[in-house]
Amino acid sequence: MANSSLDTVCRFVSESGDRPLTARVLDLAKQCLVDWFAVSLAACPDAAPSAARQLMRSWATQGRAMSLYGDVGAAGPMALVNATLSHSLDYDAMHFASAFHATGSTPAR
């Protein structure tokens, strides 16, 4: 049996090209992209993404995907490096009282 929530999300995403986006949505998307890129670049010298980079380099994967360091390899490892970069200095989802950084969405039930 298929997961109806997952089906709904997948359908929404796959059909998004057929819907015009409002100026507000486009502006917010641009702001998010600039934020992601700036935070990621600032994190390049940080220890965590540097360690992820070294590990992914040791795997010597083949592919055309690129990390923000400029390394090229398979999509999965490069995505992991970029994700580590983008979350290393990103504290927008930080709950400082508990030192919890909830970067992934957590569904309420």
Side-chain angles (χ1 to χ4, degrees), residues 10-33:
C10 290
R11 190 171 24 265
F12 177 81
V13 171
S14 69
E15 295 171 356
S16 65
D18 298 335
R19 289 187 302 273
L21 301 174
T22 66
R24 178 74 175 137
V25 168
L26 288 173
D27 184 55
L28 287 171
K30 290 174 186 177
Q31 289 179 41
C32 288
L33 183 60

Side-chain angles (χ1 to χ4, degrees), residues 46-95:
D46 200 51
S50 295
R53 177 189 191 197
Q54 291 307 314
L55 178 62
M56 296 307 108
R57 286 174 125 186
S58 74
W59 291 2
T61 63
Q62 300 297 309
R64 297 184 303 158
M66 183 181 290
S67 77
L68 290 174
Y69 286 111
D71 301 321
V72 178
M78 296 303 109
L80 179 62
V81 171
N82 288 337
T84 306
L85 279 165
S86 70
H87 288 286
S88 290
L89 300 177
D90 188 16
Y91 299 105
D92 61 349
M94 185 73 183
H95 183 259

